[in-house]
Amino acid sequence: MNPPCAGRHYAKHIRHAIRFLKPGGYLVAILPRTAWEDHGELPGGGWDDLPVASFAESGTNVPTGIWTYRKA
């Protein structure tokens, strides 16, 4: 998923999507780097940084990464 990155709107989308996961299900999202570093709003999971300016062609230089979560 690619939730909105402005502010912390992504957190609401993540919490909503997790509700639909079955045990053992995965959720993968492209998120701003601050979601992983600063806000502490993501449940445990994995994080991989994307290359700098990955979305420059789309008009944004927000540092991003791929967050992966598996529901127990």
Side-chain angles (χ1 to χ4, degrees), residues 19-69:
R19 293 179 28 217
F20 295 96
L21 288 177
K22 294 180 181 180
Y26 283 91
L27 179 61
V28 179
I30 296 173
L31 298 171
R33 177 80 180 147
T34 54
W36 184 249
E37 290 180 338
D38 301 337
H39 299 160
E41 297 197 50
L42 298 176
W47 181 270
D48 290 305
D49 285 323
L50 289 173
V52 174
S54 288
F55 298 99
E57 286 186 25
S58 299
T60 183
N61 274 327
V62 173
T64 54
I66 297 177
W67 172 75
T68 307
Y69 172 79

Side-chain angles (χ1 to χ4, degrees), residues 1-20 27 29 31-32 35 39-43 67:
M1 67 185 294
N2 185 9
C5 290
R8 294 184 182 177
H9 296 288
Y10 64 85
K12 181 179 178 182
H13 288 261
I14 294 289
R15 287 191 296 269
H16 183 74
I18 286 173
R19 293 179 28 217
F20 295 96
L27 179 61
L31 298 171
H39 299 160
E41 297 197 50
L42 298 176
W67 172 75

